[in-house]
Amino acid sequence: MKSFDIIATSAMGLESVVAKEVRNLGYECTVDNGKVIYKGDATAIARSNLWLRSADRIKIKVGEFKATTFDELFEKTKALNWEDYLSVDAEFPVSGKSVKSTLYSVPDCQAIVKKAIVDRLKHKYKQVSWFTESGPLFKIEVAILKDIVTLTIDTSGAGLHKRGYRSGQGEAPLKETMAAALILLTNWHADKPFIDPFCGSGTIPIEAALIGQNIAPGFNREFVSESWGWFDAKIWDDVRTEAEDLAKYDQPLDIAGSDIDHRMVEIAKANSVEAGLGDLIDFKQMQVRDISTKKEYGVIVGNPPYGERIGEKKAVEKMYQEMGQAFAKLDTWSIYIITSHPDFERLYGKPATKKRKLFNGFIRTDYYQYWGKRPPRKG
């Protein structure tokens, strides 16, 4: 079976999380800024799309080369085997980006790459006229970094964060891929209790339930590469069957989500049902200061308001203080909070065991980790 150079793209700061997921699927990989690179066949592409919880997209790398002139860009693009991927009726829009490179005009680079591919396909398919582009979609990207050109085709379609369960959301929703990464960065396992005290539309608890029952995050959606003629439909069937076989639908879970806004709680419940998780998650309206539990050795993951809007800051700072007081009683619990507020530790009343820089969208945040006591060893 043909081997491809595969790129799993990642939010900044999550590359190591994506790489661990790729290795767990059985593929050796290398890590670069914003991406994880590995080799695999068509089955690897399908499995990556279906299973990677924290990656943004899965792309095929068609070629990589140095180019400092438009002629060079044209000739080296034309030299690649585009006919291996694109059918005669393929629709192939070209997007682009250029950073610290001689060829900095993105529209020009896009146009040249498009023309080079057309020239190549005209020759290979013995076409005289322009292509109709009425067939399957192949999104091509030309990315130039320090004069190195990387040409890729996107196999995902809609970004991998679009799991298909979010019927409603709040004002500043957390991407599903980021929510999954926040959980994967904790010490949580399905046999531990889990709480999200700022659940919003329910993304973090839903992702926790999918992880807890080993349900593939891409199970309920389609991918653009399913429409490609050379991509055997049986591969997708087999990969989905594998995912069904690996799911642990009987795994009991203790997952709760709460929010101060009762409308968000209703949306979270609806999203949970849409995800096929029904009543597995306990959602309720509650303020963070009222959270208490007799359970032990659980995990809290929260994405509270950051107080970035004018007028919000004081209320948010008071809430951070109340959160610190409420959680101080949970000494066996591990607590993980993401926020952009620079004074979080002081307001919370305790320095974090560890913190990690992450970008939530374009907002630079820190992920504050407070590790609870370890459970006693079972004799």
PDB file of all heavy atoms in Angstrom, residues 339-360:
ATOM      1  N   THR A 339      -6.416  29.982  32.180  1.00  0.00           N
ATOM      2  CA  THR A 339      -6.834  31.386  32.168  1.00  0.00           C
ATOM      3  C   THR A 339      -5.694  32.269  31.646  1.00  0.00           C
ATOM      4  O   THR A 339      -4.525  31.888  31.736  1.00  0.00           O
ATOM      5  CB  THR A 339      -7.275  31.871  33.568  1.00  0.00           C
ATOM      6  OG1 THR A 339      -7.573  33.277  33.503  1.00  0.00           O
ATOM      7  CG2 THR A 339      -6.199  31.656  34.627  1.00  0.00           C
ATOM      8  N   SER A 340      -6.079  33.441  31.155  1.00  0.00           N
ATOM      9  CA  SER A 340      -5.059  34.407  30.709  1.00  0.00           C
ATOM     10  C   SER A 340      -4.759  35.431  31.804  1.00  0.00           C
ATOM     11  O   SER A 340      -3.924  36.303  31.628  1.00  0.00           O
ATOM     12  CB  SER A 340      -5.569  35.142  29.460  1.00  0.00           C
ATOM     13  OG  SER A 340      -6.708  35.922  29.793  1.00  0.00           O
ATOM     14  N   HIS A 341      -5.447  35.331  32.946  1.00  0.00           N
ATOM     15  CA  HIS A 341      -5.265  36.327  34.012  1.00  0.00           C
ATOM     16  C   HIS A 341      -3.884  36.165  34.648  1.00  0.00           C
ATOM     17  O   HIS A 341      -3.570  35.107  35.196  1.00  0.00           O
ATOM     18  CB  HIS A 341      -6.355  36.176  35.069  1.00  0.00           C
ATOM     19  CG  HIS A 341      -6.485  37.389  35.941  1.00  0.00           C
ATOM     20  ND1 HIS A 341      -5.442  37.887  36.696  1.00  0.00           N
ATOM     21  CD2 HIS A 341      -7.524  38.229  36.163  1.00  0.00           C
ATOM     22  CE1 HIS A 341      -5.841  38.963  37.349  1.00  0.00           C
ATOM     23  NE2 HIS A 341      -7.105  39.194  37.042  1.00  0.00           N
ATOM     24  N   PRO A 342      -3.049  37.216  34.596  1.00  0.00           N
ATOM     25  CA  PRO A 342      -1.658  37.078  35.083  1.00  0.00           C
ATOM     26  C   PRO A 342      -1.552  36.861  36.589  1.00  0.00           C
ATOM     27  O   PRO A 342      -0.560  36.330  37.073  1.00  0.00           O
ATOM     28  CB  PRO A 342      -1.003  38.404  34.672  1.00  0.00           C
ATOM     29  CG  PRO A 342      -2.135  39.377  34.500  1.00  0.00           C
ATOM     30  CD  PRO A 342      -3.321  38.572  34.053  1.00  0.00           C
ATOM     31  N   ASP A 343      -2.584  37.254  37.351  1.00  0.00           N
ATOM     32  CA  ASP A 343      -2.520  37.164  38.809  1.00  0.00           C
ATOM     33  C   ASP A 343      -3.299  35.980  39.359  1.00  0.00           C
ATOM     34  O   ASP A 343      -3.690  35.976  40.527  1.00  0.00           O
ATOM     35  CB  ASP A 343      -3.082  38.450  39.442  1.00  0.00           C
ATOM     36  CG  ASP A 343      -2.035  39.552  39.474  1.00  0.00           C
ATOM     37  OD1 ASP A 343      -0.848  39.220  39.342  1.00  0.00           O
ATOM     38  OD2 ASP A 343      -2.414  40.726  39.592  1.00  0.00           O
ATOM     39  N   PHE A 344      -3.547  34.988  38.532  1.00  0.00           N
ATOM     40  CA  PHE A 344      -4.427  33.899  38.962  1.00  0.00           C
ATOM     41  C   PHE A 344      -3.949  33.230  40.258  1.00  0.00           C
ATOM     42  O   PHE A 344      -4.715  33.034  41.191  1.00  0.00           O
ATOM     43  CB  PHE A 344      -4.590  32.833  37.863  1.00  0.00           C
ATOM     44  CG  PHE A 344      -5.385  31.656  38.329  1.00  0.00           C
ATOM     45  CD1 PHE A 344      -6.757  31.737  38.448  1.00  0.00           C
ATOM     46  CD2 PHE A 344      -4.753  30.472  38.724  1.00  0.00           C
ATOM     47  CE1 PHE A 344      -7.507  30.661  38.928  1.00  0.00           C
ATOM     48  CE2 PHE A 344      -5.491  29.393  39.203  1.00  0.00           C
ATOM     49  CZ  PHE A 344      -6.868  29.489  39.301  1.00  0.00           C
ATOM     50  N   GLU A 345      -2.656  32.877  40.320  1.00  0.00           N
ATOM     51  CA  GLU A 345      -2.169  32.130  41.495  1.00  0.00           C
ATOM     52  C   GLU A 345      -2.352  32.931  42.786  1.00  0.00           C
ATOM     53  O   GLU A 345      -2.743  32.368  43.812  1.00  0.00           O
ATOM     54  CB  GLU A 345      -0.695  31.754  41.311  1.00  0.00           C
ATOM     55  CG  GLU A 345      -0.490  30.644  40.288  1.00  0.00           C
ATOM     56  CD  GLU A 345       0.964  30.501  39.872  1.00  0.00           C
ATOM     57  OE1 GLU A 345       1.510  31.453  39.308  1.00  0.00           O
ATOM     58  OE2 GLU A 345       1.539  29.430  40.113  1.00  0.00           O
ATOM     59  N   ARG A 346      -2.094  34.235  42.714  1.00  0.00           N
ATOM     60  CA  ARG A 346      -2.245  35.079  43.911  1.00  0.00           C
ATOM     61  C   ARG A 346      -3.714  35.114  44.357  1.00  0.00           C
ATOM     62  O   ARG A 346      -4.036  34.958  45.530  1.00  0.00           O
ATOM     63  CB  ARG A 346      -1.746  36.491  43.611  1.00  0.00           C
ATOM     64  CG  ARG A 346      -1.841  37.442  44.799  1.00  0.00           C
ATOM     65  CD  ARG A 346      -1.348  38.838  44.459  1.00  0.00           C
ATOM     66  NE  ARG A 346      -2.128  39.494  43.426  1.00  0.00           N
ATOM     67  CZ  ARG A 346      -3.331  40.062  43.633  1.00  0.00           C
ATOM     68  NH1 ARG A 346      -3.894  40.021  44.828  1.00  0.00           N
ATOM     69  NH2 ARG A 346      -3.959  40.654  42.639  1.00  0.00           N
ATOM     70  N   LEU A 347      -4.620  35.286  43.380  1.00  0.00           N
ATOM     71  CA  LEU A 347      -6.046  35.371  43.693  1.00  0.00           C
ATOM     72  C   LEU A 347      -6.582  34.025  44.196  1.00  0.00           C
ATOM     73  O   LEU A 347      -7.378  33.975  45.132  1.00  0.00           O
ATOM     74  CB  LEU A 347      -6.837  35.814  42.451  1.00  0.00           C
ATOM     75  CG  LEU A 347      -6.539  37.242  41.977  1.00  0.00           C
ATOM     76  CD1 LEU A 347      -6.946  37.426  40.524  1.00  0.00           C
ATOM     77  CD2 LEU A 347      -7.246  38.262  42.859  1.00  0.00           C
ATOM     78  N   TYR A 348      -6.116  32.965  43.584  1.00  0.00           N
ATOM     79  CA  TYR A 348      -6.547  31.607  43.958  1.00  0.00           C
ATOM     80  C   TYR A 348      -6.011  31.244  45.346  1.00  0.00           C
ATOM     81  O   TYR A 348      -6.596  30.440  46.054  1.00  0.00           O
ATOM     82  CB  TYR A 348      -6.042  30.625  42.890  1.00  0.00           C
ATOM     83  CG  TYR A 348      -6.458  29.193  43.075  1.00  0.00           C
ATOM     84  CD1 TYR A 348      -7.724  28.753  42.676  1.00  0.00           C
ATOM     85  CD2 TYR A 348      -5.577  28.248  43.618  1.00  0.00           C
ATOM     86  CE1 TYR A 348      -8.101  27.418  42.826  1.00  0.00           C
ATOM     87  CE2 TYR A 348      -5.950  26.911  43.777  1.00  0.00           C
ATOM     88  CZ  TYR A 348      -7.210  26.508  43.380  1.00  0.00           C
ATOM     89  OH  TYR A 348      -7.580  25.201  43.516  1.00  0.00           O
ATOM     90  N   GLY A 349      -4.874  31.855  45.697  1.00  0.00           N
ATOM     91  CA  GLY A 349      -4.330  31.675  47.049  1.00  0.00           C
ATOM     92  C   GLY A 349      -3.291  30.590  47.174  1.00  0.00           C
ATOM     93  O   GLY A 349      -2.938  30.187  48.282  1.00  0.00           O
ATOM     94  N   LYS A 350      -2.754  30.153  46.032  1.00  0.00           N
ATOM     95  CA  LYS A 350      -1.796  29.047  46.108  1.00  0.00           C
ATOM     96  C   LYS A 350      -1.015  28.973  44.797  1.00  0.00           C
ATOM     97  O   LYS A 350      -1.608  29.077  43.724  1.00  0.00           O
ATOM     98  CB  LYS A 350      -2.593  27.741  46.305  1.00  0.00           C
ATOM     99  CG  LYS A 350      -1.771  26.514  46.619  1.00  0.00           C
ATOM    100  CD  LYS A 350      -2.720  25.328  46.813  1.00  0.00           C
ATOM    101  CE  LYS A 350      -1.962  24.033  47.009  1.00  0.00           C
ATOM    102  NZ  LYS A 350      -2.878  22.879  47.061  1.00  0.00           N
ATOM    103  N   PRO A 351       0.321  28.786  44.872  1.00  0.00           N
ATOM    104  CA  PRO A 351       1.081  28.629  43.622  1.00  0.00           C
ATOM    105  C   PRO A 351       0.814  27.257  43.001  1.00  0.00           C
ATOM    106  O   PRO A 351       0.608  26.277  43.719  1.00  0.00           O
ATOM    107  CB  PRO A 351       2.542  28.754  44.063  1.00  0.00           C
ATOM    108  CG  PRO A 351       2.533  28.401  45.517  1.00  0.00           C
ATOM    109  CD  PRO A 351       1.183  28.760  46.060  1.00  0.00           C
ATOM    110  N   ALA A 352       0.798  27.206  41.683  1.00  0.00           N
ATOM    111  CA  ALA A 352       0.532  25.945  40.978  1.00  0.00           C
ATOM    112  C   ALA A 352       1.712  24.985  41.133  1.00  0.00           C
ATOM    113  O   ALA A 352       2.864  25.403  41.270  1.00  0.00           O
ATOM    114  CB  ALA A 352       0.281  26.226  39.503  1.00  0.00           C
ATOM    115  N   THR A 353       1.419  23.691  41.108  1.00  0.00           N
ATOM    116  CA  THR A 353       2.470  22.672  41.085  1.00  0.00           C
ATOM    117  C   THR A 353       3.285  22.839  39.803  1.00  0.00           C
ATOM    118  O   THR A 353       4.503  22.697  39.778  1.00  0.00           O
ATOM    119  CB  THR A 353       1.851  21.250  41.082  1.00  0.00           C
ATOM    120  OG1 THR A 353       0.825  21.177  42.058  1.00  0.00           O
ATOM    121  CG2 THR A 353       2.904  20.191  41.353  1.00  0.00           C
ATOM    122  N   LYS A 354       2.567  23.144  38.732  1.00  0.00           N
ATOM    123  CA  LYS A 354       3.194  23.264  37.416  1.00  0.00           C
ATOM    124  C   LYS A 354       2.280  24.135  36.567  1.00  0.00           C
ATOM    125  O   LYS A 354       1.067  24.148  36.761  1.00  0.00           O
ATOM    126  CB  LYS A 354       3.275  21.848  36.800  1.00  0.00           C
ATOM    127  CG  LYS A 354       4.074  21.756  35.509  1.00  0.00           C
ATOM    128  CD  LYS A 354       4.106  20.298  35.039  1.00  0.00           C
ATOM    129  CE  LYS A 354       4.822  20.202  33.697  1.00  0.00           C
ATOM    130  NZ  LYS A 354       4.766  18.840  33.141  1.00  0.00           N
ATOM    131  N   LYS A 355       2.872  24.889  35.631  1.00  0.00           N
ATOM    132  CA  LYS A 355       2.000  25.581  34.679  1.00  0.00           C
ATOM    133  C   LYS A 355       2.565  25.452  33.277  1.00  0.00           C
ATOM    134  O   LYS A 355       3.767  25.272  33.088  1.00  0.00           O
ATOM    135  CB  LYS A 355       1.743  27.034  35.068  1.00  0.00           C
ATOM    136  CG  LYS A 355       2.933  27.923  35.231  1.00  0.00           C
ATOM    137  CD  LYS A 355       2.470  29.289  35.732  1.00  0.00           C
ATOM    138  CE  LYS A 355       3.641  30.255  35.666  1.00  0.00           C
ATOM    139  NZ  LYS A 355       3.297  31.574  36.173  1.00  0.00           N
ATOM    140  N   ARG A 356       1.673  25.547  32.306  1.00  0.00           N
ATOM    141  CA  ARG A 356       2.045  25.300  30.920  1.00  0.00           C
ATOM    142  C   ARG A 356       1.437  26.396  30.051  1.00  0.00           C
ATOM    143  O   ARG A 356       0.250  26.706  30.180  1.00  0.00           O
ATOM    144  CB  ARG A 356       1.483  23.930  30.517  1.00  0.00           C
ATOM    145  CG  ARG A 356       1.872  23.488  29.129  1.00  0.00           C
ATOM    146  CD  ARG A 356       1.235  22.124  28.837  1.00  0.00           C
ATOM    147  NE  ARG A 356       1.661  21.640  27.538  1.00  0.00           N
ATOM    148  CZ  ARG A 356       2.338  20.523  27.333  1.00  0.00           C
ATOM    149  NH1 ARG A 356       2.681  19.769  28.358  1.00  0.00           N
ATOM    150  NH2 ARG A 356       2.680  20.143  26.121  1.00  0.00           N
ATOM    151  N   LYS A 357       2.242  26.962  29.178  1.00  0.00           N
ATOM    152  CA  LYS A 357       1.760  28.032  28.298  1.00  0.00           C
ATOM    153  C   LYS A 357       0.979  27.417  27.135  1.00  0.00           C
ATOM    154  O   LYS A 357       1.477  26.521  26.457  1.00  0.00           O
ATOM    155  CB  LYS A 357       2.944  28.840  27.750  1.00  0.00           C
ATOM    156  CG  LYS A 357       2.516  30.050  26.928  1.00  0.00           C
ATOM    157  CD  LYS A 357       3.673  30.955  26.604  1.00  0.00           C
ATOM    158  CE  LYS A 357       4.496  30.403  25.453  1.00  0.00           C
ATOM    159  NZ  LYS A 357       5.478  31.368  24.936  1.00  0.00           N
ATOM    160  N   LEU A 358      -0.246  27.888  26.932  1.00  0.00           N
ATOM    161  CA  LEU A 358      -1.074  27.402  25.827  1.00  0.00           C
ATOM    162  C   LEU A 358      -1.772  28.589  25.156  1.00  0.00           C
ATOM    163  O   LEU A 358      -1.950  29.636  25.776  1.00  0.00           O
ATOM    164  CB  LEU A 358      -2.155  26.440  26.341  1.00  0.00           C
ATOM    165  CG  LEU A 358      -1.709  25.112  26.956  1.00  0.00           C
ATOM    166  CD1 LEU A 358      -2.918  24.388  27.521  1.00  0.00           C
ATOM    167  CD2 LEU A 358      -0.982  24.252  25.945  1.00  0.00           C
ATOM    168  N   PHE A 359      -2.165  28.407  23.915  1.00  0.00           N
ATOM    169  CA  PHE A 359      -2.951  29.431  23.227  1.00  0.00           C
ATOM    170  C   PHE A 359      -4.369  28.920  23.045  1.00  0.00           C
ATOM    171  O   PHE A 359      -4.597  27.916  22.387  1.00  0.00           O
ATOM    172  CB  PHE A 359      -2.330  29.772  21.869  1.00  0.00           C
ATOM    173  CG  PHE A 359      -1.131  30.657  21.991  1.00  0.00           C
ATOM    174  CD1 PHE A 359       0.134  30.119  22.192  1.00  0.00           C
ATOM    175  CD2 PHE A 359      -1.256  32.037  21.956  1.00  0.00           C
ATOM    176  CE1 PHE A 359       1.244  30.932  22.337  1.00  0.00           C
ATOM    177  CE2 PHE A 359      -0.154  32.866  22.102  1.00  0.00           C
ATOM    178  CZ  PHE A 359       1.105  32.311  22.295  1.00  0.00           C
ATOM    179  N   ASN A 360      -5.312  29.621  23.688  1.00  0.00           N
ATOM    180  CA  ASN A 360      -6.729  29.312  23.483  1.00  0.00           C
ATOM    181  C   ASN A 360      -7.223  30.236  22.382  1.00  0.00           C
ATOM    182  O   ASN A 360      -7.519  31.399  22.623  1.00  0.00           O
ATOM    183  CB  ASN A 360      -7.502  29.526  24.780  1.00  0.00           C
ATOM    184  CG  ASN A 360      -8.973  29.204  24.620  1.00  0.00           C
ATOM    185  OD1 ASN A 360      -9.403  28.679  23.591  1.00  0.00           O
ATOM    186  ND2 ASN A 360      -9.753  29.516  25.638  1.00  0.00           N
TER     187      ASN A 360
END
